[in-house]
Amino acid sequence: MAEQVTIKDIARLLNISPSTVSRALKSSHEINKETQRLVKETAERLHYRPNMAALSLVKAKTKTIGVIVPNLGYYVFSTALQGIEDAASKRGYTVIACQSMELYEREIKNTQDMMRSSVDGIILSLAQHTRDYRHILELQQSGMPVVLFDRIADELNTSKVIVDNMAGSFGAVEHLIKMGCRRIAYIGGPSELSISSRRKEGYRLALVKYHIPIDEQLVVYCEFNHEKSVKAITQLLKLKNPPDGIFTCSDRQAIAAMVAAQAKKLRIPEDIAIVGFNDEPIVSIMSPALSSVQQPAFEMGQMAAGLLIDQIEQGKSFTPQTKLYTTKLVKRASSKRK
């Protein structure tokens, strides 16, 4: 394994002082823009990553917590953030939030920026393609408290706040079966995400319970992207024996399923029934209104903040905890057959 690049290495290469490099990386007004640009480009080219342990040595308590989410445009994350801020403010903490925009590299940068901002702890929901957790391990090794919520990594020894994804998806697929569906497709997010695998397992268990054969042609993993989801589901609908029901890992994918089905002149729910996950506000006013699995995002945010602050204040005596919330299937016109 190559040695980690340091500020001194960058300084030596550019023939400037380490303190200049340090201030340039922090975008200090004391350093001119051209030098900042040169330092940052060199740091990126050399894959420089700050020494988290060294940063932590100079960190004093700030009564501030950081939150990193994939996208605040997603209802579950914006609502969870409200819960986090509600619980944090009641205990005298302020919140700094940022978005990875579903990018692994940006998630790493977010964690580094949070460290530089001297937050006391971080609440994190993983980006869709994050499969290497070294940046989170570095946080923990530096003594930074971390709580994962919604999208988690089982491998990490942190507190976690999640919903019972298996039970939620089981209920959604069971509902489709009771509505008469026998060719039910599952549209997951990227396969490396824990929510994708757990919601698929609930889907599989429902099919097994009702003695419906599992057809792997009907299992599709796709990014949380509207255009890509529409394209993937359109291909499903072209099968010789297409699905008559679709359960998706997110409401956005369910909306894509409705767009793809309507483009093929399929009637919803008569020809194909659809159920999503998250119960975003928009789904209740669509035509037809979309059935969806509802999760208590606000309460999850409150719990995540409470666990993080407990860890900040208790220190090494704190034991990581996993909190599991139940879901509720909200049945609407997209899946309710007479």
Side-chain angles (χ1 to χ4, degrees):
M1 190 175 186
E3 281 191 33
Q4 186 171 322
V5 174
T6 67
I7 283 178
K8 288 182 179 178
D9 295 327
I10 298 171
R12 189 162 44 248
L13 188 64
L14 297 178
N15 197 29
I16 57 180
S17 70
S19 63
T20 298
V21 173
S22 177
R23 284 179 289 174
L25 289 171
K26 295 175 183 176
S27 302
S28 169
H29 68 277
E30 298 173 352
I31 308 300
N32 67 61
K33 296 296 184 183
E34 179 58 25
T35 301
Q36 287 186 37
R37 182 192 64 77
L38 186 60
V39 167
K40 290 175 181 178
E41 286 182 357
T42 304
E44 186 174 353
R45 178 165 51 83
L46 297 177
H47 305 292
Y48 165 75
R49 294 168 76 176
N51 185 322
M52 297 297 191
L55 284 172
S56 69
L57 290 174
V58 297
K59 191 173 87 65
K61 289 288 188 290
T62 61
K63 301 286 281 188
T64 303
I65 60 176
V67 180
I68 303 170
V69 298
N71 190 324
L72 283 169
Y74 298 170
Y75 174 72
V76 65
F77 297 127
S78 60
T79 305
L81 179 59
Q82 293 175 33
I84 291 168
E85 291 184 320
D86 177 73
S89 66
K90 288 175 180 174
R91 296 182 64 173
Y93 285 75
T94 56
V95 176
I96 298 174
C98 58
Q99 308 171 83
S100 67
M101 301 310 295
E102 300 284 17
L103 299 173
Y104 168 66
E105 295 78 10
R106 185 158 172 176
E107 181 177 289
I108 291 174
K109 184 178 184 301
N110 289 158
T111 61
Q112 295 169 353
D113 289 344
M114 288 295 181
M115 282 295 286
R116 293 193 191 98
S117 298
S118 297
V119 297
D120 294 336
I122 294 175
I123 298 172
L124 172 66
S125 190
L126 299 173
Q128 63 182 347
H129 290 305
T130 297
R131 61 177 71 89
D132 183 338
Y133 310 121
R134 280 179 293 180
H135 59 300
I136 302 172
L137 288 169
E138 286 179 8
L139 290 173
Q140 293 182 293
Q141 288 163 3
S142 75
M144 174 69 73
V146 177
V147 171
L148 298 178
F149 82 100
D150 188 55
R151 301 186 193 174
I152 65 168
D154 291 323
E155 300 92 321
L156 295 171
N157 183 31
T158 69
S159 288
K160 302 175 178 76
V161 181
I162 54 176
V163 294
D164 192 336
N165 287 290
M166 285 175 54
S169 57
F170 179 94
V173 176
E174 182 177 55
H175 164 64
L176 289 170
I177 293 169
K178 289 181 176 180
M179 291 295 104
C181 299
R182 289 299 178 270
R183 293 276 295 166
I184 302 171
Y186 170 63
I187 313 300
S191 59
E192 55 266 33
L193 275 180
S194 61
I195 58 171
S196 294
S197 57
R198 285 178 177 149
R199 290 173 191 175
K200 182 196 173 184
E201 183 61 14
Y203 158 84
R204 188 189 70 80
L205 290 172
L207 296 184
V208 168
K209 177 181 177 180
Y210 289 91
H211 308 291
I212 297 174
I214 297 169
D215 185 347
E216 291 299 332
Q217 278 190 302
L218 299 180
V219 176
V220 175
Y221 295 100
C222 186
E223 290 186 7
F224 296 114
N225 173 284
H226 180 75
E227 290 75 19
K228 291 182 179 179
S229 296
V230 170
K231 184 177 180 180
I233 296 163
T234 298
Q235 291 302 116
L236 266 182
L237 299 178
K238 289 179 180 178
L239 290 173
K240 185 176 180 180
N241 191 5
D244 59 2
I246 295 179
F247 168 60
T248 66
C249 195
S250 75
D251 283 341
R252 293 177 181 236
Q253 291 171 318
I255 292 169
M258 294 178 74
V259 169
Q262 290 168 343
K264 287 189 68 68
K265 309 298 183 187
L266 295 173
R267 297 170 302 159
I268 305 171
E270 294 83 0
D271 299 324
I272 188 164
I274 301 171
V275 179
F277 205 112
N278 287 337
D279 199 35
E280 299 206 14
I282 191 173
V283 303
S284 65
I285 59 173
M286 296 180 65
S287 182
L290 177 67
S291 297
S292 186
V293 179
Q294 186 182 85
Q295 54 183 331
F298 185 85
E299 290 80 3
M300 291 170 69
Q302 288 180 310
M303 177 59 70
L307 287 171
L308 184 69
I309 294 169
D310 285 347
Q311 185 175 354
I312 291 167
E313 296 181 350
Q314 293 175 27
K316 292 182 179 180
S317 66
F318 180 83
T319 301
Q321 302 172 42
T322 296
K323 300 295 184 180
L324 185 70
Y325 284 82
T326 57
T327 59
K328 175 186 176 184
L329 176 61
V330 181
K331 301 170 186 176
R332 300 190 180 96
S334 71
S335 66
K336 291 170 71 174
R337 292 174 173 171
K338 296 178 181 179

